[in-house]
Amino acid sequence: MTTYVHPTLDDLVRLQYEARGISLLPRQPIHSLLSGRHASRLRGRGLTFEELRRYRPGDDIRSIDWRATARLRVAHVRVYSEERDRPVLMVVDQRMTMFFGSARTTKATVAAEAAALAAWATVARGDRIGAILFDDELVRMNGRLSASRQATGSAAFNHALQQAARVAKHDHLVILITDYDGDDETTRQWTTRLAAHNDVLAVLVYDPLGICCPVQAGMEATDGTRRIVLPEGGPFAERLKAEFQRRCDEIRDRLRAIRIPILPICTQDPVAEQVLAALGRGRCP
C-alpha cells in the first residue's frame, strides 16, 4: 500500500544529508555499475596530466610510462587528475504513467527523490546543474498528479529529450529519470544523439507490482482513461510478470547498445540506499 504520494520541498531538502557519499564521477568502486569493468560506464570530462613520478606499491600498472622507465631505469608512472567541471543535466519524468505505486511511494515521487539526490551530490562537487522536468517546477508538478489526469504518451518525453539535446551539446552528464514508458523510434533517435557527445545515465524507475502481482477478486486497474477489472488467478499474474521482464530486457539491450548504463530504482525501498548500493558504496538492507 502506497503511504507517501507527494514529496514536499522540505522532504527533498532533507535528502542533502543522504546524498553524502554519492558520486557520479567516472572513478568508481569496483562493484559500482559505473566502474571500468562494465562496458557501459561514464567517461567523464577527461584527464589532465599532473606529474611523472616513481612507481609506488599499489599504483595501477597501466599507468606506468614504459619509455620513462627504460630511460631512467626505475619504474615511473604518469599521474593524471580528472577535470572537475562537468555540467549535469537531469531529465525528470513526471507524467501520469509515473503516478503509480504499490509499495512505499509512487514512481513520480521516486523520480523527484532521485533528482534531488543527484542535485545535492552535484552541488557538493561544485559542478553546474540544470533540469528539464517536463514542466516548470518539480514539487509543484508532482503535487498536481492525480488519478483524474490522463496519460500523454511519448510526446512529452520526446519533447524533453529534444530540449536536452539542444542544451547538452557536448561533455555533459545527462541523467534520464523515467519509467521509459511509451518510448518509440523518435525516443531512440534523441537518446542516441544525446549519448553521442555526452555521458548519459538512465535511472529507470519501476514498481514491484510488475515482478509479483497478487490479483485479488474485484481488483481494478486504470490508465487514467479506461478502467478494467483484472482477471483473478495465476495465469494473468504470470503473463504480467513475463511482459514486465520482456520490457526490462528490451530497454536494457537498447540502452546497452549505445553504452548507456542503467540504474534501476524501485518504489519499495529508500532511494538513497538503492543508489549507494548500485554505486558500490553501500548495501540495501
Side-chain angles (χ1 to χ4, degrees):
M1 179 67 68
T2 301
T3 58
Y4 174 46
V5 177
H6 297 298
T8 65
L9 181 59
D10 288 342
D11 293 329
L12 301 184
V13 169
R14 278 193 289 267
L15 290 174
Q16 181 178 9
Y17 175 80
E18 297 189 54
R20 296 190 309 173
I22 293 178
S23 172
L24 298 176
L25 292 173
R27 186 169 297 172
Q28 294 282 330
I30 189 172
H31 298 297
S32 170
L33 65 84
L34 303 180
S35 71
R37 65 193 179 97
H38 293 271
S40 299
R41 63 187 179 93
L42 300 185
R43 297 163 293 184
R45 282 292 301 268
L47 300 175
T48 301
F49 175 74
E50 284 194 350
E51 63 174 329
L52 181 70
R53 62 165 172 79
R54 299 184 72 169
Y55 175 86
R56 301 169 185 167
D59 284 341
D60 190 337
I61 61 172
R62 292 174 297 181
S63 64
I64 293 178
D65 186 319
W66 295 107
R67 289 185 178 180
T69 297
R71 184 174 67 254
L72 300 173
R73 299 183 180 276
V74 177
H76 277 69
V77 296
R78 296 178 69 86
V79 179
Y80 295 86
S81 62
E82 293 170 343
E83 296 179 4
R84 288 191 55 85
D85 183 37
R86 180 174 60 164
V88 175
L89 178 65
M90 299 185 297
V91 180
V92 187
D93 193 346
Q94 293 286 282
R95 295 174 295 170
M96 266 304 298
T97 57
M98 300 288 286
F99 190 62
F100 177 82
S102 65
R104 179 184 68 94
T105 189
T106 66
K107 292 187 289 182
T109 292
V110 164
E113 293 174 336
L117 287 168
W120 285 123
T122 302
V123 169
R125 187 171 176 265
D127 282 342
R128 292 171 290 156
I129 187 166
I132 296 173
L133 308 173
F134 296 25
D135 203 348
D136 58 346
E137 200 271 326
L138 184 55
V139 172
R140 187 169 68 246
M141 183 174 193
N142 181 277
R144 286 202 301 266
L145 290 174
S146 69
S148 62
R149 292 185 58 185
Q150 296 185 3
T152 58
S154 61
F157 187 23
N158 291 337
H159 180 64
L161 291 175
Q162 182 180 10
Q163 288 182 298
R166 290 173 178 170
V167 174
K169 297 184 181 299
H170 205 281
D171 287 336
H172 280 63
L173 169 60
V174 180
I175 305 176
L176 307 179
I177 308 176
T178 176
D179 63 357
Y180 230 77
D181 181 77
D183 68 304
D184 53 21
E185 184 58 34
T186 302
T187 309
R188 300 179 193 112
Q189 290 173 1
W190 284 115
T191 307
T192 302
R193 180 172 173 177
L194 277 169
H197 301 291
N198 302 281
D199 286 329
V200 179
L201 170 63
V203 178
L204 294 184
V205 184
Y206 71 97
D207 188 84
L209 200 64
I211 302 174
C212 180
C213 181
V215 180
Q216 301 176 357
M219 183 179 291
E220 295 185 347
T222 180
D223 62 359
T225 304
R226 298 169 297 169
R227 184 179 296 272
I228 63 172
V229 177
L230 300 179
E232 188 177 2
F236 172 79
E238 288 301 317
R239 289 197 301 271
L240 180 65
K241 181 178 179 180
E243 176 60 23
F244 179 82
Q245 186 61 53
R246 183 201 66 79
R247 177 62 175 154
C248 290
D249 293 342
E250 180 183 41
I251 294 172
R252 181 200 61 210
D253 293 343
R254 186 176 303 148
L255 295 179
R256 181 178 292 173
I258 51 178
R259 298 181 60 82
I260 295 180
I262 299 174
L263 199 167
I265 297 293
C266 183
T267 60
Q268 182 170 320
D269 300 311
V271 176
E273 293 182 3
Q274 296 182 72
V275 173
L276 287 169
L279 298 182
R281 300 174 185 273
R283 181 167 53 194
C284 291

